[in-house]
Amino acid sequence: MSARRTRKKRKSGWKIFVIAAAVLIAAAAVCWYIAGVSLYGRISHEQAGAEGAGALRQDGVTNILLIGNDSRENGEDGRSDAMILISISSKTKTVQMISLLRDMYVEIPGHDGNRLNAAYAYGGPQLLMETVEENFGIPVSRYVQVNFEAFANLVDAVGGVDLELTAEEVEYVNGYLVEYNQLTGRPEGTDYLDTSQSGLIHLNGPQALAYTRNRYIGTDFGRTERQRKVLSAVIDGLPGALLTNPKEVLDGLLSNLTTNLTQGEFLRLTLDAGKLFAYDLQQGSVPVEGSYQNATIRGMAVLEVDFGRNIEYLRRRIYGE
């Protein structure tokens, strides 16, 4: 066989390989798109509105406000029990998870000054995001809202979480389970922990939810830290759960989510999901230590905040400034 014919065969072989690879990539892209559209269709969503007109990613950072409300169904009928700013930075390769304490006294656009979570009561997620941006200078126009059921289901879907609990925290878990069992129609005593236990304990969904709702140990600072501990443990277990138990993860979570992310934005985030798991997950809370004082304003017990120091903290953590 001549060298010329050999070269032709090699070129032909490479051409077939390239075409086959292109077809496979195209097929994978179509499958991903169809799956992403299907998943998005299972989420309750609303239009971002004027305040959501900005780009999802600005200066290499995507800011999404995670709102946990205490309703059992989708909607805004409950209170904003948790407010966590999720900031994904392609510059610093970090995912920041920063709790915003609900008792901070802030200026709420169109209303008198009040606690931060009053913004949600007045105008839902949109007014809450506007309030966060006005008081802390962080552009945030996208949110994801989860209710009690979504939180408990997600913890169960990843097989539960292992956390260190004190004997006092165990008692409060059981106390909060009393209300949860009544609201969800479960028999009294369901999922109660052994009160002689302490140390490393495996918590299922309802138990983890009860653990995060406790604000009597360490006030709201302790409560938000517990929320982040559970979320961190869930995030650690999520990749494995998606491989071994994808249906339960998606069924438990998606039907209890509400967001103003567009379909295109949702698809972009799912495309980036694998990369995000490699980013460094960092936690914090606002106000930072030494930047606030307890106060009573119009009969309300609130946190009076040094906004300059907290804005500086957020810019440093989120944008690396």
Side-chain angles (χ1 to χ4, degrees):
M1 183 182 295
S2 71
R4 192 176 191 180
R5 290 180 64 189
T6 302
R7 283 197 298 272
K8 274 190 177 180
K9 282 194 173 183
R10 284 178 183 167
K11 283 183 180 179
S12 177
W14 273 109
K15 184 185 263 187
I16 292 171
F17 173 78
V18 169
I19 291 172
V23 169
L24 287 173
I25 291 170
V30 169
C31 290
W32 161 78
Y33 179 80
I34 293 172
V37 170
S38 175
L39 293 177
Y40 184 75
R42 296 170 62 184
I43 300 172
S44 297
H45 42 82
E46 58 182 36
Q47 291 184 343
E51 55 282 302
L56 175 64
R57 181 182 297 173
Q58 299 181 43
D59 299 324
V61 174
T62 298
N63 290 317
I64 299 174
L65 187 61
L66 176 62
I67 305 168
N69 82 340
D70 62 2
S71 69
R72 262 55 63 181
E73 298 178 359
N74 281 336
E76 298 166 15
D77 54 319
R79 299 164 297 178
S80 53
D81 216 39
M83 294 165 285
I84 301 177
L85 183 63
I86 307 294
S87 299
I88 306 163
S89 173
S90 60
K91 293 194 301 184
T92 61
K93 302 295 186 291
T94 62
V95 177
Q96 300 290 338
M97 189 162 62
I98 301 175
S99 297
L100 308 175
L101 270 70
R102 63 186 187 180
D103 289 340
M104 290 187 291
Y105 190 81
V106 297
E107 294 300 321
I108 300 176
H111 299 269
D112 293 331
N114 209 318
R115 295 187 181 103
L116 177 59
N117 70 337
Y120 182 89
Y122 290 147
Q126 301 296 348
L127 183 58
L128 179 57
M129 291 187 295
E130 189 179 341
T131 301
V132 170
E133 183 164 349
E134 181 167 307
N135 287 269
F136 295 101
I138 300 298
V140 55
S141 57
R142 308 305 197 275
Y143 74 89
V144 174
Q145 180 175 285
V146 298
N147 61 20
F148 275 0
E149 206 63 34
F151 190 92
N153 287 344
L154 184 57
V155 173
D156 280 336
V158 300
V161 294
D162 295 319
L163 296 172
E164 292 279 347
L165 273 70
T166 66
E168 189 179 11
E169 285 175 324
V170 167
E171 291 184 7
Y172 274 108
V173 166
N174 290 346
Y176 278 98
L177 280 170
V178 172
E179 180 194 18
Y180 183 80
N181 289 338
Q182 290 173 346
L183 291 170
T184 54
R186 305 192 318 163
E188 182 182 351
T190 302
D191 284 329
Y192 281 14
L193 295 174
D194 182 348
T195 54
S196 67
Q197 284 185 299
S198 63
L200 188 65
I201 298 176
H202 186 78
L203 303 179
N204 65 17
Q207 292 165 343
L209 174 64
Y211 170 76
T212 64
R213 298 193 65 208
N214 173 16
R215 67 176 303 186
Y216 296 100
I217 302 175
T219 67
D220 208 29
F221 287 92
R223 186 177 70 99
T224 56
E225 183 180 5
R226 284 185 280 274
Q227 291 169 354
R228 296 193 304 274
K229 281 182 179 179
V230 173
L231 280 175
S232 294
V234 167
I235 290 169
D236 286 344
L238 200 53
L242 284 169
L243 288 174
T244 60
N245 193 23
K247 187 177 186 305
E248 188 176 346
V249 173
L250 298 175
D251 287 349
L253 181 62
L254 295 179
S255 60
N256 292 290
L257 285 185
T258 303
T259 186
N260 68 344
L261 287 163
T262 67
Q263 180 176 284
E265 291 166 347
F266 177 79
L267 291 173
R268 284 199 295 276
L269 286 172
T270 61
L271 191 62
D272 287 342
K275 182 170 59 178
L276 298 182
F277 284 120
Y279 280 12
D280 184 23
L281 178 63
Q282 299 180 0
Q283 302 181 35
S285 65
V286 165
V288 295
E289 187 175 353
S291 71
Y292 67 93
Q293 59 183 3
N294 294 307
T296 301
I297 300 177
R298 301 202 317 274
M300 296 182 292
V302 299
L303 299 177
E304 209 166 29
V305 175
D306 180 339
F307 287 100
R309 287 186 59 184
N310 285 282
I311 289 171
E312 181 184 348
Y313 167 80
L314 286 170
R315 299 294 304 184
R316 184 174 67 251
R317 288 290 298 270
I318 296 171
Y319 296 96
E321 296 178 354

